[in-house]
């Protein structure tokens, strides 16, 4: 009887323990899919890394401060080579270098008593031979390395004599522009404290947004364009006139409240963010001009701003939810604050958070291969913000964040995706603007990268017009002053004409990168980031430029304000892009669950191919949707859409242009013209298309903003090719020919049996054939596209797209 009772007790105890374990595990669960605004778990599954150790980040398994974490890394033999301390946040950077080899990593989720609630499944990664080393270094040690004297940001006091010796040689051009900017700023009046908050946010939102935009633009002119150049001129020359005037602007900020007009409240944070960017540099460079009372007052202001930034990042849980665009500026700013105020006790907390972010989730919008998911404009806006903190960190502490894979590749993104004379700068917000508008910033940013990484080809690229003669951009003189311009430009000779940025889902195809005046550029996007932040609902979209002239464009414009009706209801939407509408509907906008991805990329001497899958973006309307884009250099483009749907659907093929198209309904063709450039396109599908174009906007651009005085967007032309009939499976082909020196190539297109197209083209001594299978038949599969290119002096090139 006793034995029976004991057995029952053991069984009950075991069941109770199992139930308790299950209850504890139920209180913690690692998400299977990316939360809204969540980070990207890193390292990626199976990723091969040339950095050691990598930074690790994952999604929270439960509520912060209720669920904690412990990271474990094991080598290929299963031996644990690292385990972290108990972590509050879902990030960690090991303090030791991992030797080359294969590894797995797991994360335990713990309760407040340290008991394991659940474990994140193991993922593999590889460290390659000869990795760049970036182990964690304690913030206290980094701050101890910061010199006690000022300046500390960009230029150390000990380096100033050598820098001054270069002002009339390797820094001469940048220094002359810096002086010009400083001279122009001498008479700038002190900026009045903004008062956009006088407008009620609920009842007068458009008026508040309009006044807010005017305020931060005025701040940019006064502080980025005035105070900062004058402060740097004083630092480099000792000329008091610049220092005293810059000092007046700095002290003018002392009563701008961080809980008021200079707050970091979402939606109206630009003034506070721009103070955070400019004020620590001015304090550092003007240090010896400030009285002790002034130093204390400015330090108090900076500490207030620094704590405000840290509070915002912690409140928004940036280390888990890293996708809020403006938050991505703050880790870099915190670095500069912690260096400029290294002796302040709070600097250690700033440095700790900034370094954990910079080594793990940062930059959220970037792929390790150099792309920037928010687009070229936001690459420029954000990458110029990273230069001063990262350079200052290395100068003051020796820690080199420039070794991160993204930064080592970043310079190639604009070089491939920004036509120097482009009339547009796709994709995303700001894409309607020309490259000329951002040429000064592009030159300044990429000149720094070219010099930092000793890349003579990129140094050549930034000397192309209009960059070579453009103004230096908002912070250009400062950025171009940092490094001596001592690298001879070299034109590209063995640079691939095409590049895929898989991390962000972009592909850039070119006819001739070395000749921007005649280059045919085809840009394609199918992004795993989807349509969030400054991105648009445009997966599987394309744009085409010839010598910078825009022949196929994204429609609309971010006008008159970010998040105005014209921006959110049209410009961000699929209908404004070179995409498909299914049953009249576009892709889901501003939701990171609906994403695209690159599925193929090939670059041959005369033939290039990129493809993407975007069915998920249409929220169940499509089962599969792959778009293939082929460039046959120098002047032929093939675009083939291959789609299946759970039931018959209506398909509309969209394209936009700056000028009116010449439509030919009978021939199922159109011509896009821009200046002296022309593109002729032929459409092929199951039963043909009804072609229609209009230059009308779907809603007035000034909707809700009648007070805006900025000119409305210029009219554009919008083509809709509606497929006749409804289909469960469909293939649509667009065959495009772009004039070269005013002439189209000699070509012939034949419709062969079994619904195949055969195209033959001759250009000089070269020729090629391209076959497109318009029939989707699982029982008799054929390649969707085949290309055979023949040149008398080279091997035959063959492309086969299944």
């Amino acid at each position: 009887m006793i034995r029976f009772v004991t057995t029952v007790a053991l069984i009950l105890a075991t069941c109770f323990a199992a139930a308790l374990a299950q209850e504890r595990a139920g209180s913690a669960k690692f998400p299977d899919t990316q939360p809204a605004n969540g980070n990207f778990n890193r390292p990626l599954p199976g990723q091969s890394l040339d950095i050691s150790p990598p930074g690790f980040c994952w999604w929270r398994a439960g509520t912060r401060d209720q669920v904690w974490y412990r990271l474990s890394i094991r080598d290929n033999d299963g031996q644990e080579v690292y385990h972290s301390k108990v972590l509050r946040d879902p990030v960690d950077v090991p303090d030791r270098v991992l030797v080359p080899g294969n590894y797995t990593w797991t994360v335990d989720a713990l309760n407040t008593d340290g008991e394991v609630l659940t474990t994140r499944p193991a993922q593999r990664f590889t460290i390659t031979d000869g990795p760049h080393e970036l182990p964690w270094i304690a913030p206290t040690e980094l701050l101890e390395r910061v010199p006690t004297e000022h300046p500390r940001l960009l230029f150390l006091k000990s380096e100033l004599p050598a820098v001054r010796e270069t002002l009339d040689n390797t820094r001469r051009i940048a220094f002359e522009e810096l002086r010009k900017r400083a001279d122009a700023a001498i008479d700038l009046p002190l900026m009045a404290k903004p008062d956009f908050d006088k407008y009620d946010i609920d009842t007068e939102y458009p008026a508040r947004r309009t006044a807010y935009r005017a305020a931060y633009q005025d701040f940019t002119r006064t502080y980025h364009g005035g105070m900062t150049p004058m402060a740097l001129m004083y630092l480099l020359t000792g000329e008091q006139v610049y220092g005293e005037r810059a000092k007046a602007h700095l002290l003018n900020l002392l009563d701008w409240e961080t809980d008021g007009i200079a707050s970091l409240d979402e939606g109206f944070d630009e003034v506070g963010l721009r103070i955070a960017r400019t004020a620590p540099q001015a304090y550092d460079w003007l240090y010896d001009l400030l009285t002790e009372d002034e130093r204390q007052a400015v330090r108090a202001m900076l500490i207030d701003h620094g704590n405000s930034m840290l509070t915002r990042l912690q409140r928004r849980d940036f280390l888990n939810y890293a996708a809020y665009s403006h938050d991505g500026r703050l880790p870099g700013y915190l670095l500069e604050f912690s260096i400029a105020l290294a002796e302040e006790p709070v600097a250690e907390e700033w440095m700790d958070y900034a370094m954990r972010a910079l080594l793990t989730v940062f930059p959220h919008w970037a792929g390790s291969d150099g792309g920037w998911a928010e687009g070229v404009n936001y690459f420029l806006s954000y990458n110029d913000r990273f230069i001063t903190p990262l350079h200052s960190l290395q100068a003051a502490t020796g820690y080199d964040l420039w070794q991160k894979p993204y930064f080592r590749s970043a310079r190639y993104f604009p070089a491939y995706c920004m036509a120097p004379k482009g009339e547009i700068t796709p994709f995303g917000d700001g894409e309607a603007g020309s490259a000329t508008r951002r040429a000064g910033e592009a030159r300044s940013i990429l000149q720094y990268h070219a010099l930092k990484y000793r890349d003579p080809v990129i140094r050549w690229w930034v000397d192309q017009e209009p960059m070579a003669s453009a103004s230096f951009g908002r912070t250009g003189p400062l950025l171009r002053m940092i490094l001596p311009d001592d690298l001879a430009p070299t034109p590209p000779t063995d640079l691939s004409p095409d590049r895929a940025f898989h991390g962000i889902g972009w592909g850039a195809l070119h006819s001739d990168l070395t000749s921007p005046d005649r280059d045919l550029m085809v840009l394609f996007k199918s992004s795993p980031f989807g349509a969030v932040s400054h991105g648009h609902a445009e997966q599987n979209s394309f744009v085409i430029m010839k010598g910078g002239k825009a022949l196929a464009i994204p429609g609309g414009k971010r006008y008159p304000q970010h998040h105005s009706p014209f921006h959110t209801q049209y410009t961000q939407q699929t209908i404004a892009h070179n995409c498909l509408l299914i049953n009249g509907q576009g892709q889901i906008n501003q939701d990171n669950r609906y994403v695209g991805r690159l599925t193929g990329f090939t670059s041959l001497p005369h033939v290039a191919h990129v493809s993407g899958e975007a069915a998920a973006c249409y929220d169940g309307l499509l089962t599969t949707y792959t778009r293939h884009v082929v460039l046959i250099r120098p002047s032929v483009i093939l675009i083939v859409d291959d789609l299946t749907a759970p039931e018959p659907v209506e398909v509309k093929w969209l394209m936009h242009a700056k000028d009116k198209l010449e439509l030919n309904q009978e021939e199922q063709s159109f011509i896009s013209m821009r200046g002296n450039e022309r593109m002729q396109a032929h459409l092929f599908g199951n039963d043909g298309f009804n072609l229609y174009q209009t230059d009308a906007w779907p809603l007035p651009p000034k909707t809700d903003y009648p007070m805006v005085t900025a000119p409305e967007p210029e009219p554009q032309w919008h083509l809709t090719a509606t497929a006749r009939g409804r289909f469960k499976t469909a293939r649509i082909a667009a065959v495009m020919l772009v004039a070269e020196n005013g002439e189209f190539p000699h070509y012939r297109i034949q419709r062969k049996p079994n619904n195949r197209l055969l195209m033959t083209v001759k250009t000089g001594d070269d020729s090629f054939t391209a076959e497109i299978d318009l029939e989707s038949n699982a029982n008799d599969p054929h390649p969707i596209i085949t290309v055979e290119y023949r040149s008398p002096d080279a091997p035959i090139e063959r492309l086969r797209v299944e």
Side-chain angles (χ1 to χ4, degrees):
M1 182 67 178
I2 294 175
R3 183 177 300 171
F4 174 76
V5 171
T6 303
T7 302
V8 170
L10 286 172
I11 292 173
L12 290 174
T14 302
C15 292
F16 177 76
L20 182 60
Q22 185 174 2
E23 181 181 351
R24 287 171 175 164
S27 65
K29 184 180 186 300
F30 288 101
D32 297 324
T33 58
Q34 184 182 32
N37 298 305
N39 66 38
F40 284 90
N41 291 184
R42 294 170 178 158
L44 301 173
Q47 187 174 11
S48 182
L49 299 152
D50 63 355
I51 189 171
S52 182
F56 293 82
C57 54
W58 55 92
W59 300 314
R60 288 193 185 278
T63 305
R64 181 167 48 179
D65 293 334
Q66 293 182 16
V67 178
W68 298 66
Y69 306 95
R70 183 171 55 229
L71 168 70
S72 175
I73 303 173
R74 296 182 180 274
D75 64 19
N76 205 41
D77 296 324
Q79 297 297 312
E80 187 176 64
V81 296
Y82 173 81
H83 71 268
S84 70
K85 63 181 182 182
V86 174
L87 306 165
R88 182 191 187 211
D89 294 313
V91 299
D92 190 52
V93 184
D95 58 2
R96 66 206 63 175
V97 173
L98 304 177
V99 300
N102 299 315
Y103 295 90
T104 58
W105 63 289
T106 58
V107 180
D108 290 331
L110 314 171
N111 64 15
T112 53
D113 295 326
E115 298 172 303
V116 176
L117 301 174
T118 188
T119 299
R120 188 180 186 276
Q123 283 187 190
R124 294 185 174 277
F125 67 94
T126 299
I127 303 291
T128 62
D129 291 337
H132 299 265
E133 297 181 359
L134 277 180
W136 177 257
I137 295 177
T140 50
E141 181 179 339
L142 291 175
L143 291 173
E144 286 170 358
R145 298 178 184 180
V146 176
T148 56
E149 70 272 17
H150 294 268
R152 304 168 180 175
L153 299 178
L154 293 187
F155 303 108
L156 303 184
K157 185 173 183 179
S158 60
E159 299 171 344
L160 284 178
V163 172
R164 289 168 180 150
E165 290 180 0
T166 67
L167 298 182
D168 61 356
N169 45 73
T170 55
R171 286 185 171 92
R172 178 182 59 81
I173 295 174
F175 181 65
E176 288 174 354
E177 177 66 17
L178 180 69
R179 182 179 288 279
K180 187 187 301 182
R181 291 287 182 93
D183 287 342
I186 287 290
D187 296 326
L188 277 175
L190 298 182
M191 182 178 169
K193 186 194 300 184
D195 61 354
F196 56 81
D197 55 350
K198 68 184 179 183
Y199 297 102
D200 184 78
I201 196 169
D202 295 319
T203 61
E204 300 174 289
Y205 183 82
R208 183 174 177 136
R209 285 289 302 184
T210 302
Y212 158 73
R213 187 167 186 255
Y216 72 70
Q217 288 177 339
D218 189 14
F219 190 96
T220 297
R221 285 188 294 270
T222 304
Y223 284 87
H224 291 265
M227 180 187 72
T228 301
M230 289 190 292
L232 186 55
M233 272 298 293
Y234 169 73
L235 179 70
L236 296 175
T237 68
E239 297 177 35
Q240 294 264 335
V241 63
Y242 300 114
E244 293 293 345
R245 194 59 188 157
K247 172 181 166 179
H249 286 286
L250 176 63
L251 299 180
N252 183 51
L253 298 173
L254 291 177
D255 66 343
W256 294 28
E257 308 89 348
T258 56
D259 60 351
I261 206 66
S263 77
L264 294 181
D265 290 343
E266 185 178 0
F268 295 91
D269 56 4
E270 284 289 4
V271 171
L273 288 169
R274 291 168 196 233
I275 291 174
R277 176 139 189 224
T278 56
Q281 294 172 357
Y283 167 77
D284 185 55
W285 298 339
L286 301 171
Y287 187 83
D288 65 352
L289 268 185
L290 299 169
T291 67
E292 188 53 40
D293 286 346
E294 290 167 340
R295 290 173 188 165
Q296 290 182 14
V298 175
R299 279 200 299 270
M301 176 189 72
L302 292 176
I303 290 171
D304 198 14
H305 278 280
N307 287 336
S308 180
M309 288 190 287
L310 181 60
T311 297
R312 168 168 164 164
L313 289 170
Q314 291 174 331
R315 182 183 72 247
R316 306 252 293 217
D317 198 7
F318 177 75
L319 296 178
N320 191 61
Y321 301 109
Y324 295 103
S325 186
H326 285 196
D327 289 358
R329 307 180 198 180
L330 301 183
Y333 294 172
L334 280 178
L335 267 192
E336 290 193 271
F337 271 64
S338 60
I339 293 169
L341 279 72
E343 59 283 329
E344 297 290 341
V346 73
E348 182 178 342
E349 192 175 0
W350 296 340
M351 177 69 81
D352 177 77
Y353 197 99
M355 290 299 291
R356 285 190 294 134
L358 290 164
L359 286 165
T360 58
V361 301
F362 175 92
H364 173 81
W365 299 105
S368 61
D369 48 9
W372 191 266
E374 293 177 300
V376 170
N377 283 281
Y378 279 82
F379 169 92
L380 296 175
S381 294
Y382 276 76
N383 278 266
D384 84 333
R385 294 179 173 111
F386 302 154
I387 289 175
T388 54
L390 267 63
H391 187 93
S392 297
L393 177 71
Q394 186 177 10
T397 72
Y399 199 93
D400 186 7
L401 275 170
W402 292 110
Q403 295 184 73
K404 285 195 69 171
Y406 166 71
F407 292 112
R408 286 186 276 117
S409 300
R411 61 193 183 274
Y412 297 112
F413 179 60
Y416 276 91
C417 298
M418 180 181 181
K421 293 186 177 180
E423 293 185 301
I424 53 175
T425 49
F427 293 101
D429 284 342
E431 63 192 353
S434 70
T436 301
R437 182 176 62 94
R438 306 300 299 270
E441 289 161 276
R443 179 187 180 101
S444 299
I445 294 166
L446 292 184
Q447 180 169 311
Y448 177 90
H449 280 255
L451 296 171
K452 178 70 179 176
Y453 295 104
R454 310 308 292 172
D455 189 331
V457 171
I458 297 299
R459 184 64 191 83
W460 169 88
W461 193 82
V462 300
D463 277 346
Q464 304 309 297
E465 292 293 352
M467 288 177 289
S469 56
S471 66
F472 281 43
R474 182 168 57 196
T475 55
L478 185 156
L479 299 184
R480 292 178 63 185
M481 282 297 304
I482 299 173
L483 296 173
D485 188 8
D486 58 358
L487 183 65
T490 303
T493 55
D494 56 359
L495 197 64
S496 170
D498 317 297
R499 197 173 182 101
F501 298 90
H502 293 276
I504 64 164
W506 288 35
L509 315 180
H510 293 266
S511 68
D512 189 353
L513 266 177
T514 66
S515 301
D517 287 341
R518 58 192 298 270
D519 180 41
L520 173 59
M521 172 182 175
V522 184
L523 199 58
F524 177 77
K525 172 183 176 182
S526 194
S527 177
F529 284 80
V532 293
S533 186
H534 295 288
H536 297 170
E538 56 180 349
Q539 312 320 318
N540 278 9
S541 61
F542 66 90
V543 296
I544 300 171
M545 283 183 275
K546 171 68 171 174
K549 293 290 192 297
L551 296 169
I553 68 170
K557 185 178 183 180
R558 184 169 59 172
Y559 176 91
Q561 284 270 351
H562 185 73
H563 272 186
S564 67
F566 187 71
H567 177 225
T568 60
Q569 297 174 30
Y570 177 64
T571 302
Q572 286 185 345
Q573 301 294 334
T574 308
I575 195 173
H577 297 87
N578 302 323
C579 293
L580 300 183
L581 297 182
I582 305 299
N583 292 343
Q585 299 182 40
Q587 301 170 13
I588 302 299
N589 188 37
Q590 297 301 302
D591 189 326
N592 66 340
R593 292 174 298 172
Y594 301 90
V595 301
R597 61 184 174 88
L598 290 191
T599 56
F601 175 74
T602 303
S603 181
L604 304 173
H606 293 92
V607 184
H609 165 254
V610 64
S611 60
E613 169 60 41
C617 302
Y618 289 88
D619 197 23
L621 291 174
L622 295 177
T623 306
T624 62
Y625 168 38
T626 303
R627 171 168 275 181
H628 299 275
V629 177
V630 175
L631 172 63
I632 307 168
R633 289 179 262 273
S635 57
V636 176
I637 303 164
L638 310 177
I639 299 177
V640 180
D641 295 306
D642 185 27
L643 56 95
T644 63
E647 58 186 39
V649 293
E650 177 196 66
V651 181
K652 292 184 176 181
W653 191 96
L654 307 179
M655 202 192 86
H656 305 264
K658 285 184 172 289
D659 293 331
K660 188 175 183 179
L661 304 168
E662 288 186 4
L663 300 188
N664 188 322
Q665 182 72 51
E666 182 178 352
E667 297 291 335
Q668 297 280 278
S669 66
F670 62 87
I671 295 177
S672 174
M673 294 171 289
R674 186 67 179 165
N676 59 352
E677 303 295 350
R678 295 183 298 157
M679 179 176 73
Q680 180 173 305
H682 302 267
L683 290 176
F684 300 90
N686 295 50
D687 295 318
F689 303 87
N690 295 320
L691 307 182
Y692 170 78
Q693 68 174 321
T694 180
D695 66 346
W697 301 117
L699 75 163
K702 286 190 178 181
T703 299
D704 289 354
Y705 286 80
M707 77 291 291
V708 170
T709 59
E712 292 191 8
E714 294 182 0
Q716 300 168 347
W717 287 87
H718 316 287
L719 169 69
T720 302
T722 304
R724 298 167 184 155
R726 301 171 74 89
F727 308 95
K728 290 183 68 173
T729 64
R731 283 186 184 163
I732 298 170
V735 178
M736 301 171 167
L737 301 102
V738 180
E740 187 78 7
N741 299 319
E743 298 291 335
F744 291 116
H746 296 288
Y747 73 97
R748 183 183 182 190
I749 302 175
Q750 299 171 276
R751 197 143 191 170
K752 307 291 283 185
N754 298 325
N755 212 7
R756 294 188 191 132
L757 298 179
L758 178 64
M759 181 182 192
T760 57
V761 178
K762 186 171 178 60
T763 56
D765 293 332
D766 292 4
S767 64
F768 70 83
T769 59
E771 185 172 279
I772 301 172
D773 185 2
L774 292 174
E775 196 72 46
S776 179
N777 188 342
N779 296 321
D780 184 22
H782 286 84
I784 297 175
I785 306 169
T786 57
V787 178
E788 187 173 284
Y789 192 100
R790 295 176 178 270
S791 182
D793 300 322
I796 297 173
E797 294 175 38
R798 291 185 175 90
L799 174 73
R800 180 183 175 96
V801 177
E802 301 290 345

